[in-house]
Amino acid sequence: MTDTSLDLAALLCSRLCHDLLSPVGALSNGLELLAEEKDPEMRKRCMELLEQSARISADKLKFFRLAFGAAGGFGEQVAVEEPRALVDALVANNERITVQWALGVATMPKPAVKVLLNLAAIGIDALIRGGTLDVGAESRDGASEIVIRASGPRIAFDPEVGKALSGEMPTDGLSSRTAPAWMIAQIAAGQGGGLQYALSEDALVMGAVLPEG
């Protein structure tokens, strides 16, 4: 394994830990409160919060397993219901974000699924005041085509993430925030394809083309 691969793995682990810190911390706090609380109604509320935190933690782990990891439980082709369920679960507790799907395929190659999931995560992060996340995918002329559009009253997009998506980010400039974008740029390039994005005041549009086979 190269130094770059080791650095990328470490940064992706840091990103995963960062995203899991809040729900796992809530689990710990909830267990402490439950141990001290005697009132039946408050104990019921604690249990509800624990269940919510456990669900969020599990959903994030499932998402990152396929978005970052080898996901050995999947074949080379992944049913589109898998990434759709993962993205829907990721925003399930955010009532300000609506996800709309336009999937013209039944399955996608695993590299294309990784690109779709990570672009969707970038789009979700951009909707800091809520909005709509449109996710589209189809197969055309022997290539997977993916489009993600995040639109809302305010779009927050780190220019460094843009550099990573476009392949302009040097490896020594990577961080846990930019590593996922850099990773999928490498995946796309390795497939003979590429990524692109366009940013406006109220929308972030990202696209990917990955030749299959």
Side-chain angles (χ1 to χ4, degrees), residues 18-38:
H18 175 272
D19 280 33
L20 284 174
L21 185 60
S22 178
V24 172
L27 272 173
S28 178
N29 293 336
L31 288 171
E32 290 180 6
L33 289 172
L34 189 63
E36 299 174 359
E37 187 58 60
K38 305 301 181 184

Side-chain angles (χ1 to χ4, degrees), residues 4 8 12 67-68 111-119 122 146 157 160-171 174 177-197 206-211:
T4 299
L8 178 62
L12 292 177
F68 292 173
V113 171
K114 288 185 177 294
V115 170
L116 184 151
L117 290 175
N118 280 281
L119 289 179
I122 292 170
I146 300 164
F157 183 65
E160 295 298 299
V161 174
K163 288 182 181 179
L165 284 174
S166 61
E168 300 173 0
M169 171 72 67
T171 55
L174 288 175
R177 183 169 180 79
T178 58
W182 187 88
M183 177 189 71
I184 59 174
Q186 301 307 303
I187 290 174
Q191 297 285 117
L195 309 178
Q196 59 183 350
Y197 75 94
M206 298 170 286
V209 177
L210 286 83

Side-chain angles (χ1 to χ4, degrees), residues 119-132:
L119 289 179
I122 292 170
I124 292 169
D125 287 344
L127 296 173
I128 57 173
R129 291 186 180 174
T132 302

Side-chain angles (χ1 to χ4, degrees), residues 36-199:
E36 299 174 359
E37 187 58 60
K38 305 301 181 184
D39 181 75
E41 286 301 317
M42 289 302 296
R43 287 182 63 85
K44 180 181 177 182
R45 178 57 178 158
C46 284
M47 287 300 300
E48 291 173 351
L49 292 174
L50 284 170
E51 290 173 0
Q52 182 185 55
S53 297
R55 184 177 65 255
I56 292 172
S57 299
D59 289 341
K60 285 180 178 290
L61 282 172
K62 291 175 184 176
F63 182 92
F64 288 125
R65 175 182 175 233
L66 188 51
F68 292 173
F74 297 95
E76 290 307 307
Q77 291 287 325
V78 179
V80 293
E81 287 80 4
E82 293 287 346
R84 178 170 182 164
L86 293 173
V87 172
D88 285 342
L90 207 61
V91 300
N93 292 290
N94 190 337
E95 297 178 352
R96 298 182 301 171
I97 296 179
T98 300
V99 185
Q100 299 182 155
W101 294 89
L103 301 174
V105 291
T107 65
M108 296 176 65
K110 192 184 293 184
V113 171
K114 288 185 177 294
V115 170
L116 184 151
L117 290 175
N118 280 281
L119 289 179
I122 292 170
I124 292 169
D125 287 344
L127 296 173
I128 57 173
R129 291 186 180 174
T132 302
L133 184 76
D134 294 297
V135 183
E138 63 179 350
S139 180
R140 181 184 300 178
D141 299 327
S144 296
E145 297 186 359
I146 300 164
V147 176
I148 307 288
R149 183 176 187 270
S151 57
R154 182 184 174 192
I155 301 298
F157 183 65
D158 187 345
E160 295 298 299
V161 174
K163 288 182 181 179
L165 284 174
S166 61
E168 300 173 0
M169 171 72 67
T171 55
D172 59 2
L174 288 175
S175 66
S176 61
R177 183 169 180 79
T178 58
W182 187 88
M183 177 189 71
I184 59 174
Q186 301 307 303
I187 290 174
Q191 297 285 117
L195 309 178
Q196 59 183 350
Y197 75 94
L199 177 66

